Amino acid sequence: MMTASANRAVTYVGPGKVEVREIEFPKLELRDGPGVNPANVGRKCEHGVILKVVSTNICGSDQHMVRGRTTAPEGLVLGHEITGEVVEVGRDVEFIKVGDLCSVPFNIACGRCRNCKERKTGICLNVNPDRPGSAFGYVDMGGWVGGQAEYVMAPYADFNLLKFPDKDQALEKIRDLTMLSDIFPTGYHGALTAGARAGSTVYVAGAGPVGLAAAVGAQLLGAAVVIVGDLNTERLAQARSFGCETIDVSGGAPQDQIEQLLGVPEVDAAIDAVGFEARGHGGDAGHEQPAAVLNSLMELTTAGGGIGIPGLYVTGDPGAADDAAKAGALSLSLGTGWAKSLSFATGQCPVMSYHRELMNAILADRVQIAKAVNATVITLDDAPRGYSAFDSGVAQKFVIDPHGMIAV
């Protein structure tokens, strides 16, 4: 067992504000703290490891909490996108060793329950007393401490962690490999569940990092045309940088612009990478309409097509415009979806269903996900500035380097 040392982490301290604070060095036990479900306090984790965090990314899902748009408690340690070097292993860990460099899926899974055995690791039944499914550093996810820190504990290590086969090679490609903990599998999952395949036409709503990752995923699956829609011109330019067509949805209904590109006002597969803070199109582009993207995708997806929804939707949004949306109830035109026999795929991405294959694609130079999302490395102390810049809409994916291990 290594000797405990200092630990610092990015902490949510109130709407619009994060701070880097001293926190306890992790133990192989879930201790009481902000957001920890009482039933999880004192939970022993001899199946876990302590990681020295090599890279940890700021995610759009984190921004929902930081904006005050969830019920996240003050003091919550943020960060669910984690890549780290193992510095301590629990008594019950057999295969992961000290010194291994590993990607950590954002969704924590026990590997023992019915859902985990069926590869539904996004809805593990045993890690979160509140509901199926869990994640590091996230509201209502059981209270597992986040990884935007110098050190973090990862439970069920033999099951969850993806060990990189060559540590030196992995460090050379760390800007790409850091995306395996969440956004690359999540975007790929959105594309796959929407039905993207060889020769298909795909529309991605949202040009943030997950939307860009979904576009890369659709390309990797062989889509003939990938169209990305957004209001942010800088992010649309980023999408064009790797071969996507783009539309500015402030100019009107997406299907009208899709028709100008494809000759028909519809696509085979559509992906919602926006989530519950969606805004309208055309003249309504400046106004928040939480169901706008979903209703739009039902209109522009061909009959019999699919809609993948990696964008986050919540059951508690204190900042919503109406009481229904505050409880996660949206005014969906479900009749449109039913009449067109559309399929919908929602929920957390089961990262382990994809991360090994996507790792291989990165290591074989089949894909450059870091370049596509404009990965930008910052220090732990720069994290508050990174959150502010990301919230302003810059076309960057911020990667925090707590120990200065990422080569310039």
Side-chain angles (χ1 to χ4, degrees):
M1 179 181 295
M2 73 172 293
T3 303
S5 61
N7 193 22
R8 298 189 306 143
V10 181
T11 306
Y12 170 65
V13 295
K17 190 175 183 182
V18 299
E19 291 179 356
V20 178
R21 292 183 171 179
E22 295 280 344
I23 65 168
E24 290 183 307
F25 193 85
K27 293 176 61 177
L28 297 173
E29 177 182 332
L30 189 53
R31 294 171 286 195
D32 198 8
V36 181
N37 188 292
N40 261 351
V41 174
R43 187 169 182 162
K44 303 296 183 183
C45 297
E46 290 293 341
H47 43 65
V49 299
I50 306 299
L51 294 164
K52 179 181 181 180
V53 177
V54 173
S55 62
T56 175
N57 316 325
I58 296 175
C59 181
S61 298
D62 297 321
Q63 286 286 18
H64 292 304
M65 290 188 291
V66 173
R67 291 187 189 118
R69 295 298 297 268
T70 72
T71 55
E74 294 184 10
L76 184 74
V77 175
L78 301 169
H80 56 270
E81 301 189 14
I82 306 164
T83 305
E85 179 184 11
V86 178
V87 295
E88 180 183 338
V89 299
R91 178 195 62 214
D92 300 331
V93 178
E94 291 188 72
F95 308 114
I96 296 293
K97 306 298 182 184
V98 170
D100 287 347
L101 181 60
C102 303
S103 178
V104 185
F106 78 89
N107 31 31
I108 301 167
C110 73
R112 297 154 166 81
C113 71
R114 169 183 174 177
N115 284 348
C116 284
K117 290 177 180 179
E118 294 176 356
R119 300 189 74 183
K120 301 172 185 174
T121 53
I123 43 174
C124 173
L125 300 174
N126 289 331
V127 287
N128 182 2
D130 286 319
R131 64 182 72 173
S134 187
F136 293 92
Y138 214 83
V139 59
D140 295 334
M141 289 292 179
W144 300 92
V145 179
Q148 285 174 15
E150 293 173 325
Y151 296 90
V152 69
M153 188 270 286
Y156 303 102
D158 281 330
F159 183 65
N160 282 292
L161 270 55
L162 174 66
K163 175 186 171 181
F164 298 133
D166 184 309
K167 190 173 182 180
D168 291 336
Q169 181 194 28
L171 284 171
E172 290 176 2
K173 292 182 174 288
I174 194 66
R175 287 174 172 81
D176 294 286
L177 294 172
T178 191
M179 306 305 167
L180 291 173
S181 58
D182 182 359
I183 70 160
F184 195 13
T186 292
Y188 185 85
H189 176 68
L192 185 71
T193 56
R197 60 191 183 278
S200 60
T201 56
V202 179
Y203 175 68
V204 182
V210 170
L212 297 175
V216 171
Q219 291 176 335
L220 198 58
L221 288 163
V225 181
V226 179
I227 305 168
V228 179
D230 204 296
L231 298 162
N232 184 314
T233 56
E234 184 181 347
R235 290 181 171 181
L236 290 174
Q238 186 65 29
R240 288 193 296 274
S241 75
F242 58 94
C244 297
E245 300 285 351
T246 61
I247 60 175
D248 184 339
V249 297
S250 67
Q255 55 265 39
D256 295 337
Q257 299 181 65
I258 288 171
E259 184 172 20
Q260 294 175 20
L261 291 168
L262 301 179
V264 291
E266 60 186 20
V267 293
D268 300 316
I271 302 163
D272 175 3
V274 177
F276 71 100
E277 289 191 62
R279 296 183 182 276
H281 306 120
D284 292 326
H287 305 290
E288 191 167 306
Q289 297 179 12
V293 169
L294 289 172
N295 285 329
S296 170
L297 297 190
M298 284 189 277
E299 290 288 343
L300 60 82
T301 303
T302 191
I307 299 174
I309 311 173
L312 175 69
Y313 288 86
V314 295
T315 56
D317 175 10
D322 58 70
D323 290 340
K326 287 179 181 178
L330 309 182
S331 298
L332 290 177
S333 180
L334 192 58
T336 300
W338 190 93
K340 296 176 72 173
S341 294
L342 299 177
S343 63
F344 300 80
T346 67
Q348 285 189 37
C349 164
V351 169
M352 276 188 281
S353 291
Y354 309 110
H355 66 175
R356 184 174 301 278
E357 291 79 2
L358 294 177
M359 174 190 73
N360 289 338
I362 289 169
L363 295 178
D365 293 321
R366 292 276 294 148
V367 64
Q368 287 77 43
I369 184 65
K371 185 177 180 180
V373 301
N374 196 16
T376 305
V377 178
I378 61 174
T379 67
L380 186 66
D381 287 319
D382 270 343
R385 180 190 63 80
Y387 268 94
S388 178
F390 189 37
D391 194 48
S392 74
V394 296
Q396 293 171 284
K397 172 70 172 177
F398 289 103
V399 177
I400 299 171
D401 177 9
H403 297 277
M405 297 179 70
I406 301 177
V408 177

PDB file of all heavy atoms in Angstrom, residues 322-339:
ATOM      1  N   ASP A 322     -40.211  25.713 -17.495  1.00  0.00           N
ATOM      2  CA  ASP A 322     -41.564  25.401 -17.009  1.00  0.00           C
ATOM      3  C   ASP A 322     -41.503  24.245 -16.028  1.00  0.00           C
ATOM      4  O   ASP A 322     -40.505  23.523 -15.939  1.00  0.00           O
ATOM      5  CB  ASP A 322     -42.503  25.067 -18.175  1.00  0.00           C
ATOM      6  CG  ASP A 322     -42.018  23.909 -19.025  1.00  0.00           C
ATOM      7  OD1 ASP A 322     -42.035  22.763 -18.533  1.00  0.00           O
ATOM      8  OD2 ASP A 322     -41.617  24.134 -20.189  1.00  0.00           O
ATOM      9  N   ASP A 323     -42.600  24.057 -15.285  1.00  0.00           N
ATOM     10  CA  ASP A 323     -42.627  23.053 -14.222  1.00  0.00           C
ATOM     11  C   ASP A 323     -42.458  21.638 -14.760  1.00  0.00           C
ATOM     12  O   ASP A 323     -41.825  20.795 -14.116  1.00  0.00           O
ATOM     13  CB  ASP A 323     -43.931  23.158 -13.429  1.00  0.00           C
ATOM     14  CG  ASP A 323     -43.995  24.425 -12.581  1.00  0.00           C
ATOM     15  OD1 ASP A 323     -42.922  24.998 -12.306  1.00  0.00           O
ATOM     16  OD2 ASP A 323     -45.111  24.841 -12.217  1.00  0.00           O
ATOM     17  N   ALA A 324     -43.028  21.369 -15.933  1.00  0.00           N
ATOM     18  CA  ALA A 324     -42.906  20.021 -16.499  1.00  0.00           C
ATOM     19  C   ALA A 324     -41.450  19.699 -16.795  1.00  0.00           C
ATOM     20  O   ALA A 324     -40.944  18.633 -16.430  1.00  0.00           O
ATOM     21  CB  ALA A 324     -43.748  19.896 -17.760  1.00  0.00           C
ATOM     22  N   ALA A 325     -40.754  20.629 -17.445  1.00  0.00           N
ATOM     23  CA  ALA A 325     -39.350  20.402 -17.787  1.00  0.00           C
ATOM     24  C   ALA A 325     -38.482  20.298 -16.541  1.00  0.00           C
ATOM     25  O   ALA A 325     -37.460  19.604 -16.550  1.00  0.00           O
ATOM     26  CB  ALA A 325     -38.842  21.509 -18.698  1.00  0.00           C
ATOM     27  N   LYS A 326     -38.867  20.961 -15.464  1.00  0.00           N
ATOM     28  CA  LYS A 326     -38.098  20.859 -14.225  1.00  0.00           C
ATOM     29  C   LYS A 326     -38.087  19.432 -13.698  1.00  0.00           C
ATOM     30  O   LYS A 326     -37.172  19.040 -12.978  1.00  0.00           O
ATOM     31  CB  LYS A 326     -38.682  21.803 -13.167  1.00  0.00           C
ATOM     32  CG  LYS A 326     -38.384  23.272 -13.426  1.00  0.00           C
ATOM     33  CD  LYS A 326     -38.992  24.179 -12.376  1.00  0.00           C
ATOM     34  CE  LYS A 326     -38.681  25.651 -12.692  1.00  0.00           C
ATOM     35  NZ  LYS A 326     -39.295  26.562 -11.714  1.00  0.00           N
ATOM     36  N   ALA A 327     -39.098  18.657 -14.059  1.00  0.00           N
ATOM     37  CA  ALA A 327     -39.166  17.252 -13.654  1.00  0.00           C
ATOM     38  C   ALA A 327     -38.805  16.310 -14.792  1.00  0.00           C
ATOM     39  O   ALA A 327     -39.033  15.105 -14.708  1.00  0.00           O
ATOM     40  CB  ALA A 327     -40.571  16.924 -13.145  1.00  0.00           C
ATOM     41  N   GLY A 328     -38.253  16.864 -15.869  1.00  0.00           N
ATOM     42  CA  GLY A 328     -37.819  16.030 -16.984  1.00  0.00           C
ATOM     43  C   GLY A 328     -38.913  15.643 -17.955  1.00  0.00           C
ATOM     44  O   GLY A 328     -38.715  14.770 -18.817  1.00  0.00           O
ATOM     45  N   ALA A 329     -40.071  16.287 -17.879  1.00  0.00           N
ATOM     46  CA  ALA A 329     -41.189  15.975 -18.776  1.00  0.00           C
ATOM     47  C   ALA A 329     -41.171  16.953 -19.950  1.00  0.00           C
ATOM     48  O   ALA A 329     -41.237  18.168 -19.761  1.00  0.00           O
ATOM     49  CB  ALA A 329     -42.521  16.074 -18.029  1.00  0.00           C
ATOM     50  N   LEU A 330     -41.076  16.430 -21.158  1.00  0.00           N
ATOM     51  CA  LEU A 330     -40.969  17.255 -22.353  1.00  0.00           C
ATOM     52  C   LEU A 330     -42.176  17.063 -23.254  1.00  0.00           C
ATOM     53  O   LEU A 330     -42.809  16.011 -23.256  1.00  0.00           O
ATOM     54  CB  LEU A 330     -39.692  16.892 -23.132  1.00  0.00           C
ATOM     55  CG  LEU A 330     -38.387  16.863 -22.339  1.00  0.00           C
ATOM     56  CD1 LEU A 330     -37.229  16.539 -23.266  1.00  0.00           C
ATOM     57  CD2 LEU A 330     -38.149  18.177 -21.614  1.00  0.00           C
ATOM     58  N   SER A 331     -42.472  18.093 -24.058  1.00  0.00           N
ATOM     59  CA  SER A 331     -43.609  18.043 -24.988  1.00  0.00           C
ATOM     60  C   SER A 331     -43.159  17.427 -26.316  1.00  0.00           C
ATOM     61  O   SER A 331     -42.886  18.124 -27.290  1.00  0.00           O
ATOM     62  CB  SER A 331     -44.162  19.454 -25.213  1.00  0.00           C
ATOM     63  OG  SER A 331     -44.635  20.000 -24.006  1.00  0.00           O
ATOM     64  N   LEU A 332     -43.074  16.109 -26.335  1.00  0.00           N
ATOM     65  CA  LEU A 332     -42.609  15.388 -27.517  1.00  0.00           C
ATOM     66  C   LEU A 332     -43.750  15.079 -28.467  1.00  0.00           C
ATOM     67  O   LEU A 332     -44.852  14.712 -28.031  1.00  0.00           O
ATOM     68  CB  LEU A 332     -41.950  14.069 -27.118  1.00  0.00           C
ATOM     69  CG  LEU A 332     -40.605  14.143 -26.391  1.00  0.00           C
ATOM     70  CD1 LEU A 332     -40.155  12.747 -26.014  1.00  0.00           C
ATOM     71  CD2 LEU A 332     -39.568  14.831 -27.253  1.00  0.00           C
ATOM     72  N   SER A 333     -43.476  15.182 -29.751  1.00  0.00           N
ATOM     73  CA  SER A 333     -44.442  14.764 -30.764  1.00  0.00           C
ATOM     74  C   SER A 333     -44.269  13.267 -31.014  1.00  0.00           C
ATOM     75  O   SER A 333     -43.820  12.835 -32.084  1.00  0.00           O
ATOM     76  CB  SER A 333     -44.226  15.546 -32.054  1.00  0.00           C
ATOM     77  OG  SER A 333     -45.156  15.137 -33.038  1.00  0.00           O
ATOM     78  N   LEU A 334     -44.597  12.478 -29.991  1.00  0.00           N
ATOM     79  CA  LEU A 334     -44.369  11.044 -30.094  1.00  0.00           C
ATOM     80  C   LEU A 334     -45.193  10.414 -31.218  1.00  0.00           C
ATOM     81  O   LEU A 334     -44.791   9.404 -31.809  1.00  0.00           O
ATOM     82  CB  LEU A 334     -44.696  10.366 -28.756  1.00  0.00           C
ATOM     83  CG  LEU A 334     -44.243   8.918 -28.606  1.00  0.00           C
ATOM     84  CD1 LEU A 334     -42.729   8.789 -28.795  1.00  0.00           C
ATOM     85  CD2 LEU A 334     -44.650   8.372 -27.242  1.00  0.00           C
ATOM     86  N   GLY A 335     -46.327  11.043 -31.520  1.00  0.00           N
ATOM     87  CA  GLY A 335     -47.139  10.534 -32.622  1.00  0.00           C
ATOM     88  C   GLY A 335     -46.384  10.521 -33.938  1.00  0.00           C
ATOM     89  O   GLY A 335     -46.549   9.615 -34.765  1.00  0.00           O
ATOM     90  N   THR A 336     -45.535  11.548 -34.131  1.00  0.00           N
ATOM     91  CA  THR A 336     -44.709  11.583 -35.346  1.00  0.00           C
ATOM     92  C   THR A 336     -43.760  10.399 -35.383  1.00  0.00           C
ATOM     93  O   THR A 336     -43.631   9.709 -36.397  1.00  0.00           O
ATOM     94  CB  THR A 336     -43.908  12.898 -35.411  1.00  0.00           C
ATOM     95  OG1 THR A 336     -44.804  14.001 -35.418  1.00  0.00           O
ATOM     96  CG2 THR A 336     -43.024  12.945 -36.655  1.00  0.00           C
ATOM     97  N   GLY A 337     -43.112  10.154 -34.264  1.00  0.00           N
ATOM     98  CA  GLY A 337     -42.194   9.023 -34.195  1.00  0.00           C
ATOM     99  C   GLY A 337     -42.889   7.696 -34.389  1.00  0.00           C
ATOM    100  O   GLY A 337     -42.371   6.795 -35.065  1.00  0.00           O
ATOM    101  N   TRP A 338     -44.078   7.573 -33.816  1.00  0.00           N
ATOM    102  CA  TRP A 338     -44.832   6.318 -33.952  1.00  0.00           C
ATOM    103  C   TRP A 338     -45.274   6.114 -35.398  1.00  0.00           C
ATOM    104  O   TRP A 338     -45.125   5.020 -35.963  1.00  0.00           O
ATOM    105  CB  TRP A 338     -46.053   6.358 -33.026  1.00  0.00           C
ATOM    106  CG  TRP A 338     -46.758   5.040 -32.920  1.00  0.00           C
ATOM    107  CD1 TRP A 338     -46.568   4.067 -31.987  1.00  0.00           C
ATOM    108  CD2 TRP A 338     -47.781   4.549 -33.802  1.00  0.00           C
ATOM    109  NE1 TRP A 338     -47.390   3.004 -32.217  1.00  0.00           N
ATOM    110  CE2 TRP A 338     -48.155   3.276 -33.328  1.00  0.00           C
ATOM    111  CE3 TRP A 338     -48.420   5.059 -34.932  1.00  0.00           C
ATOM    112  CZ2 TRP A 338     -49.141   2.502 -33.947  1.00  0.00           C
ATOM    113  CZ3 TRP A 338     -49.391   4.288 -35.553  1.00  0.00           C
ATOM    114  CH2 TRP A 338     -49.751   3.027 -35.071  1.00  0.00           C
ATOM    115  N   ALA A 339     -45.813   7.176 -35.996  1.00  0.00           N
ATOM    116  CA  ALA A 339     -46.317   7.061 -37.367  1.00  0.00           C
ATOM    117  C   ALA A 339     -45.216   6.702 -38.357  1.00  0.00           C
ATOM    118  O   ALA A 339     -45.454   6.016 -39.358  1.00  0.00           O
ATOM    119  CB  ALA A 339     -46.998   8.372 -37.778  1.00  0.00           C
TER     120      ALA A 339
END
